Amino acid sequence: MLDAATAVFSERGFHAASMDEIAERAGISKPMVYLYLGSKGELFSACIRRAGGQLTEAISAAAAPELPAEQQLWAAVQAFFEFVGEHRDAWAVMFRQARGEGEFAGEVAGIRRLVVDNVADLFARAIHSAGALDPGPDELRALAHALVGTGESMAEWLLDHPDERPETAATRLMNMLWMGLGSLIRGEVWRSPVPVPLPPGQ
Amino acid sequence: MLDAATAVFSERGFHAASMDEIAERAGISKPMVYLYLGSKGELFSACIRRAGGQLTEAISAAAAPELPAEQQLWAAVQAFFEFVGEHRDAWAVMFRQARGEGEFAGEVAGIRRLVVDNVADLFARAIHSAGALDPGPDELRALAHALVGTGESMAEWLLDHPDERPETAATRLMNMLWMGLGSLIRGEVWRSPVPVPLPPGQ
Amino acid sequence: MLDAATAVFSERGFHAASMDEIAERAGISKPMVYLYLGSKGELFSACIRRAGGQLTEAISAAAAPELPAEQQLWAAVQAFFEFVGEHRDAWAVMFRQARGEGEFAGEVAGIRRLVVDNVADLFARAIHSAGALDPGPDELRALAHALVGTGESMAEWLLDHPDERPETAATRLMNMLWMGLGSLIRGEVWRSPVPVPLPPGQ
Amino acid sequence: MLDAATAVFSERGFHAASMDEIAERAGISKPMVYLYLGSKGELFSACIRRAGGQLTEAISAAAAPELPAEQQLWAAVQAFFEFVGEHRDAWAVMFRQARGEGEFAGEVAGIRRLVVDNVADLFARAIHSAGALDPGPDELRALAHALVGTGESMAEWLLDHPDERPETAATRLMNMLWMGLGSLIRGEVWRSPVPVPLPPGQ
DNA sequence: CATGAATGAGGCTTCATTCAT
DNA sequence: TATGAATGAAGCCTCATTCAT
């Protein structure tokens, strides 16, 4: 049922989605939807929470805590792009639809905060393990926030360019993040600290 | 009138916004809104186009074409953050609301494309003037697209942290863009190629 | 529900009729009307089509095809006047309301054409069986069209004179049609080729 | 101004006609329309009354009172068809639009009554001058009413068949009226009691 | 448990009508 | 006098939500 709702919400948006269409696409009757979820708002909220859970789950599962920070980041970024590619609807609900609905923006902001905090933590550990000057947690969170935005933007790009592979986007993001354009200009290129794991089934 | 509409759309979203509220907040009656703009959709579209025009205008005005690319980029980024801070509603309409409304997503995508193309061009010129290897236009546009996403995300951060000055965000973006996190870790910092102009009144 | 709609449309006309009143008079709520009929236009159209069906049905049922043409005509004319007397609303919708609404004039014209064609055919057979000169189909249809107009006008007269019996109007129409005023002046009078069937209950 | 109003009313009907369009087509501003005619209803009423006046005028002018009744009838019928052909809009307003609008049906009924009374009077005089049995005024008015309906129907036929000349319709009507279908079957045909007057300007 | 049937409420849109100039 | 500008009122339609079965 959440699948159907997520699909409709992602296509139409919260307000334009009709409970009729959701129920129909779920193959059940409208009163059932209300019995299980209570109201349109709660249904939307459930979609958001499930999508958020899946996303954070996917990222956490990829970034094994025993790995070095840079490597965790690389894994997380890859997992993120893969998630977006495989859950287009869930992604659209969170990133494109829920953001504008004041009533639900908080929920998606909470999910985003989880990711940002994770990333900020990885930044901190990477800096710490390099023995560099600690920029302070606020600065780190600002950077992490920015990185997540970069990823989101690249995710949209990925969805608009079906030929592109997630790994390409991931590499591009790491390059931009780790090297900066200046370094790129100087011919430096970031390389995966570990051999790129083959996609499953290849 | 577009001000009122932009305000309401930014708060409520396209569907949840009511023409009644827009008219009331504009201080006129509903039939006037229809007389001048035609329909809710055209009103929304007009808000988007005006916001887009203002944004691209602000960026173009800041990035004087005779300056070096890096400097133009710096000026454009600053102008962008200033615009967002000063036109919160317009920004919210474009970035948070119009994206999810299929019917209007195209318009905001068009505006975004303008900005991305500009940025990609600046990238190309920066790389060219550095005599570095040309990465090809597609790669450049992908990078520019990513950078714009970074800026959008930072803009949201800025709106959530009213104490932060736009220059700070701009510097942070240029650092991340130009130096990369790796360089930052090594203690390198990007610096404005020109003295930062003082904000008016300081 | 079509009854209620026909009643309201007949009193107010298409534009002046409000869906609110129709729903109220039908004893249901407005959304039900939309659920069953779709829109005001389709509702009006349904009323027209039902009325047309009833009318043509009544006429066809009366004019048994095995009878001679003159007798069929007589039966049809009677059936027509009885129909109008018993379905005032349906008649008003077709004859007084739908004619002026460009969008629906075609439907009522189609119904009328059915009747006219039937009448023209009866004319043709009457003439043929009398061995008279065939005036050609166009001329016949013109005459039939005129006769139908005569009937329509008499129907209105009937509605305005509730004391008058339908048989009187039917006889008058046959007289005018068959004898012409000239013959009437000469004292000739048309008589029903069969004994007038008594109305039910008398 | 009445021309414009009549045109719009005839195309759209009373309710669907908008004062905006009427004013625009009249080449004046809306407040002027209200200044001169007061309200939409009065404007419609004025259109009806003018059309009715023109019609009765045309008929009266044609039927010179010193002529014999049959000849007056013939002249009146011709004048009627010519009027309809030359004032399509006025005709449509009266016959197709005003009939359904309860508020105005009375006005058009009044006009119609004038014509019917005239016709009934001609009938009476024709019968009287033939020395035949007087059928009584009510019967006469019923017949006259029927004849007018025949004429209206033929008028519509004429409007739908632009190739047909008004004289043809007039002859057909007189035939049907005077001879009846029975006489027609017997090969009798009504002929104009006077040479057909040439249309003006020929 | 599951649903067909039903509705109150509200939104977009338009129109007859009137000021203020 | 003539009009551009403005509006209260009302209509069509749809939707989230709930009974009664």
Side-chain angles (χ1 to χ4, degrees), chain B residues 7 12 14 26 31 72 85 87 89 99 101 103 117-118 124 129-130 132 136-137 152 154 169 173 181 188 199-200:
Chain B
R12 306 244 188 274
F14 176 64
Q72 279 191 51
H87 299 81
D89 290 348
R99 280 203 166 168
E101 305 294 336
E103 206 180 343
D117 285 348
N118 262 348
S129 75
E152 286 165 351
M154 280 183 163
L173 175 55
L181 190 57
E188 301 165 15

Side-chain angles (χ1 to χ4, degrees), chain C residues 10-13 15-16 73 95-97 99-102 112 116 123 126-127 130 132-133 138-139 141-143 145-150 152-154 156-157 160-161 164 168 172-173 175-188, chain D residues 10-13 15-16 73 95-97 99-102 112 116 123 126-127 130 132-133 138-139 141-143 145-150 152-154 156-157 160-161 164 168 172-173 175-188:
Chain C
S10 83
E11 281 175 31
R12 306 244 189 274
H15 282 281
L73 203 51
F95 179 72
R96 283 200 282 249
Q97 304 298 353
R99 279 201 169 172
E101 305 294 336
R112 201 179 192 274
V116 167
F123 279 3
I127 290 174
L133 205 61
D138 282 350
E139 186 66 21
R141 293 199 61 243
L143 275 181
H145 186 100
L147 170 68
V148 169
T150 317
E152 286 164 350
S153 184
M154 282 183 161
E156 295 286 300
W157 170 277
D160 277 348
H161 297 77
E164 202 121 356
T168 313
R172 205 178 272 137
L173 175 54
N175 255 322
M176 182 170 161
L177 166 67
W178 222 254
M179 308 305 295
L181 192 57
S183 313
L184 294 180
I185 290 177
R186 291 189 298 274
E188 301 164 12
Chain D
S10 84
E11 281 174 30
R12 308 239 188 277
H15 282 280
L73 203 51
F95 179 73
R96 282 199 284 248
Q97 305 299 352
R99 281 203 165 169
E101 306 294 336
R112 203 178 191 274
V116 167
F123 279 3
I127 289 173
L133 204 61
D138 282 350
E139 186 66 20
R141 293 198 60 245
L143 273 181
H145 187 100
L147 171 69
V148 169
T150 316
E152 287 164 349
S153 184
M154 282 182 161
E156 294 286 303
W157 171 277
D160 278 349
H161 297 75
E164 206 122 353
T168 312
R172 206 179 269 137
L173 175 55
N175 253 323
M176 183 168 162
L177 165 68
W178 220 255
M179 309 306 293
L181 191 55
S183 313
L184 294 180
I185 289 177
R186 290 189 299 274
E188 300 166 17

Side-chain angles (χ1 to χ4, degrees), chain D:
Chain D
M1 185 165 73
L2 287 177
D3 286 342
T6 300
V8 176
F9 281 135
S10 84
E11 281 174 30
R12 308 239 188 277
F14 175 62
H15 282 280
S18 91
M19 296 297 270
D20 273 307
E21 185 175 357
I22 292 174
E24 189 190 9
R25 203 161 335 169
I28 61 180
S29 72
K30 241 185 323 177
M32 280 298 96
V33 180
Y34 280 88
L35 181 65
Y36 287 137
L37 269 312
S39 81
K40 192 184 184 182
E42 291 176 63
L43 177 55
F44 193 51
S45 178
C47 290
I48 295 173
R49 285 199 309 273
R50 189 182 65 151
Q54 291 171 329
L55 173 60
T56 53
E57 196 84 12
I59 293 182
S60 301
E66 67 274 12
L67 295 182
E70 187 181 351
Q71 215 162 320
Q72 279 190 50
L73 203 51
W74 166 241
V77 164
Q78 275 185 302
F80 169 71
F81 286 123
E82 261 157 30
F83 174 85
V84 171
E86 285 166 19
H87 299 78
R88 290 166 155 266
D89 290 349
W91 172 251
V93 165
M94 278 190 296
F95 179 73
R96 282 199 284 248
Q97 305 299 352
R99 281 203 165 169
E101 306 294 336
E103 208 180 341
F104 306 97
E107 303 208 26
V108 77
I111 297 165
R112 203 178 191 274
R113 190 157 35 237
L114 283 182
V115 177
V116 167
D117 285 348
N118 261 349
V119 171
D121 187 48
L122 291 179
F123 279 3
R125 290 173 48 197
I127 289 173
H128 190 75
S129 77
L133 204 61
D134 189 337
D138 282 350
E139 186 66 20
L140 276 184
R141 293 198 60 245
L143 273 181
H145 187 100
L147 171 69
V148 169
T150 316
E152 287 164 349
S153 184
M154 282 182 161
E156 294 286 303
W157 171 277
L158 206 56
L159 293 181
D160 278 349
H161 297 75
D163 304 340
E164 206 122 353
R165 292 173 55 226
E167 285 83 9
T168 312
T171 305
R172 206 179 269 137
L173 175 55
M174 291 302 286
N175 253 323
M176 183 168 162
L177 165 68
W178 220 255
M179 309 306 293
L181 191 55
S183 313
L184 294 180
I185 289 177
R186 290 189 299 274
E188 300 166 17
V189 169
W190 178 89
R191 295 206 186 282
S192 164
V194 290
V196 176
L198 291 179
Q202 302 196 1

Side-chain angles (χ1 to χ4, degrees), chain A residues 15-16 95-97 99-100 112 123 127 130 132 139 141-143 145-147 149-150 153-154 157 172 176-183 185, chain B residues 15-16 95-97 99-100 112 123 127 130 132 139 141-143 145-147 149-150 153-154 157 172 176-183 185:
Chain A
H15 283 280
F95 179 72
R96 283 199 284 248
Q97 304 298 354
R99 281 205 166 168
R112 202 177 192 273
F123 280 2
I127 289 174
E139 187 65 23
R141 293 199 59 244
L143 275 182
H145 187 101
L147 171 69
T150 316
S153 183
M154 281 183 163
W157 171 276
R172 207 178 269 138
M176 184 170 162
L177 165 68
W178 220 254
M179 308 307 294
L181 191 57
S183 313
I185 290 177
Chain B
H15 283 281
F95 179 73
R96 281 199 284 249
Q97 306 297 354
R99 280 203 166 168
R112 202 179 191 273
F123 280 2
I127 289 173
E139 186 66 22
R141 291 199 62 243
L143 274 181
H145 186 100
L147 171 69
T150 315
S153 183
M154 280 183 163
W157 171 277
R172 206 177 271 137
M176 183 170 161
L177 166 68
W178 219 254
M179 308 305 295
L181 190 57
S183 314
I185 289 177

Side-chain angles (χ1 to χ4, degrees), chain C residues 103-165:
Chain C
E103 206 181 343
F104 304 98
E107 302 208 25
V108 78
I111 296 165
R112 201 179 192 274
R113 190 156 35 234
L114 282 182
V115 177
V116 167
D117 286 347
N118 263 349
V119 170
D121 187 49
L122 292 179
F123 279 3
R125 290 173 48 195
I127 290 174
H128 189 73
S129 75
L133 205 61
D134 189 334
D138 282 350
E139 186 66 21
L140 276 185
R141 293 199 61 243
L143 275 181
H145 186 100
L147 170 68
V148 169
T150 317
E152 286 164 350
S153 184
M154 282 183 161
E156 295 286 300
W157 170 277
L158 205 57
L159 294 181
D160 277 348
H161 297 77
D163 305 338
E164 202 121 356
R165 292 173 54 226

Side-chain angles (χ1 to χ4, degrees), chain A residues 42-201:
Chain A
E42 291 176 62
L43 177 55
F44 193 51
S45 178
C47 290
I48 295 174
R49 283 198 309 272
R50 188 181 66 150
Q54 291 172 330
L55 174 60
T56 52
E57 196 83 13
I59 292 182
S60 300
E66 66 273 12
L67 296 182
E70 187 180 352
Q71 216 162 318
Q72 280 191 51
L73 202 53
W74 166 240
V77 164
Q78 274 184 301
F80 169 72
F81 285 123
E82 261 156 32
F83 174 86
V84 171
E86 285 166 20
H87 299 79
R88 290 166 156 268
D89 290 349
W91 172 251
V93 165
M94 281 190 295
F95 179 72
R96 283 199 284 248
Q97 304 298 354
R99 281 205 166 168
E101 305 293 336
E103 207 181 343
F104 304 97
E107 302 208 26
V108 77
I111 296 165
R112 202 177 192 273
R113 192 158 31 237
L114 282 182
V115 176
V116 167
D117 285 348
N118 261 348
V119 170
D121 187 48
L122 291 180
F123 280 2
R125 289 173 49 197
I127 289 174
H128 190 75
S129 76
L133 205 61
D134 189 338
D138 282 351
E139 187 65 23
L140 277 184
R141 293 199 59 244
L143 275 182
H145 187 101
L147 171 69
V148 169
T150 316
E152 286 163 352
S153 183
M154 281 183 163
E156 294 286 302
W157 171 276
L158 206 55
L159 293 180
D160 279 349
H161 295 76
D163 304 339
E164 203 122 353
R165 293 171 56 225
E167 285 84 9
T168 312
T171 304
R172 207 178 269 138
L173 175 55
M174 290 303 285
N175 254 325
M176 184 170 162
L177 165 68
W178 220 254
M179 308 307 294
L181 191 57
S183 313
L184 295 180
I185 290 177
R186 289 189 299 273
E188 301 165 14
V189 170
W190 180 88
R191 294 203 188 285
S192 163
V194 290
V196 175
L198 291 179

